[in-house]
Amino acid sequence: MDFFSSFLHQKVPRSGKELPVYYRKALTVSEILLIAYLFVCFFFYPLFLEVWIWIPLLFIAVTGFGLWITKNRGMRENLLVYAVLCAGWVFWNVYAFGWSSGVQHFLTLMVVFIFFDVYEKPLIKIGCFIVILVYRIVLFSWSLQHTAIYAMDKAVNTYYQTINTVGFFVMLAAMCIIFSTSIQNTERELRLRNQTLYKEAGTDPLTGLPNRRAMIETIEKYCKSEPESPFAVAIADIDFFKNVNDTYGHNCGDYTLVKLTELFAEHSGGRYRVCRWGGEEFCFFMPGMNIDEAGVVMNDLCFAVERMKLKFEENEFSITITIGVEECDFNSPLEDLLKSADEKLYMGKNSGRNKVVV
């Protein structure tokens, strides 16, 4: 029941929109195949019934008119023509050859097109389905009370049923291939787009590093997957970064952040992950390390930053960083660990900067 409830309450795009390209392609291919099928029927009648029946040519002309409408007017008008074609062809066959001709399956094609119309409301789709179902039942009841105009022996009827079955399934297969391919392509594109958006949402646009949200997610996933494994976190801040911006300009400040990011990548060696925490602050996640091991790594990084020479335009300068490190105690929440690392960072700043506080 939940499935049908969600179907009935699904939202549809604003009405009046042109149908999607894949829908146009499915309807066009179906009509081209229908023309080929009708030509087969046209030549079947004199060959096996020894009588020329011109009705298929009329349906061919109407189908061609539907293709012209698609090109010059729009899909919705052609969809109506297609519905009339299918209903009319089924009625004429039942009237001319009886219910055993097997052509009534063509009504299924109408059902498929109706339910794949993304701009139609669910209640209208169900209403059209009921109309088609009632039409089929009434037509069957009517065929029981009327004799077919053209009598077919068992062999000819088998041949005709085969033609109708092959024609129907070829058209149905073509429609399903087009619709399913389109759905798969759309789903794949959506997945790729969502992955891109998710990555962009968790990435700092300047440095390309993960942002605060992404880092927190990374640490939380590690805690869930490795609940008994140690880890350490560190918060680093560039010393006197405001002086860099004020002296050399904000472009130089951006350059400094990018170069620092490159140094982190070279220095990491897979030992830690780093994100841009905000402004000139960075956060480090060191899985599998205790506070002593993390302190050694961060001290080495601190010295590497001090030795790094920066040159922006004609200006040569260097920077230092201060780092606060904290270790997971398996009791405190992540928020408290990060807060503790941040407090140690400010202890380092207040006691001279360019150092690691553990």
Side-chain angles (χ1 to χ4, degrees), residues 123-143:
L123 288 177
I124 294 179
K125 293 179 180 180
I126 292 177
C128 292
F129 167 75
I130 293 174
V131 170
I132 295 171
L133 179 62
V134 170
Y135 178 72
R136 191 183 191 280
I137 294 173
V138 170
L139 198 59
F140 174 70
S141 301
W142 180 87
S143 68

Side-chain angles (χ1 to χ4, degrees), residues 233-235 291 294-295 298-299 302 321-327 340-358:
V233 295
I235 305 292
I291 196 166
M298 289 295 101
N299 267 299
C302 196
I321 60 175
T322 302
I323 307 174
V325 184
E326 187 55 88
E327 176 186 13
S340 178
D342 194 54
E343 290 173 351
K344 290 182 178 181
L345 163 66
Y346 280 93
M347 288 172 56
K349 281 186 168 294
N350 292 331
S351 60
R353 292 182 167 84
N354 189 24
K355 61 178 62 178
V356 177
V357 179
V358 295

Side-chain angles (χ1 to χ4, degrees), residues 261-274:
T261 299
E262 294 174 358
L263 175 63
F264 292 156
E266 294 175 3
H267 180 266
S268 168
R271 294 174 295 177
Y272 58 78
R273 300 178 189 178
V274 58

Side-chain angles (χ1 to χ4, degrees), residues 191-204:
R191 285 181 178 273
L192 292 174
R193 180 58 178 164
N194 287 337
Q195 290 174 1
T196 301
L197 290 174
Y198 183 81
K199 183 178 180 180
E200 290 176 351
T203 303
D204 174 59

Side-chain angles (χ1 to χ4, degrees), residues 213-224:
R213 181 187 64 81
M215 177 59 84
I216 291 175
E217 288 183 357
T218 298
I219 300 175
E220 288 177 342
K221 287 180 181 178
Y222 177 84
C223 292
K224 290 180 180 179

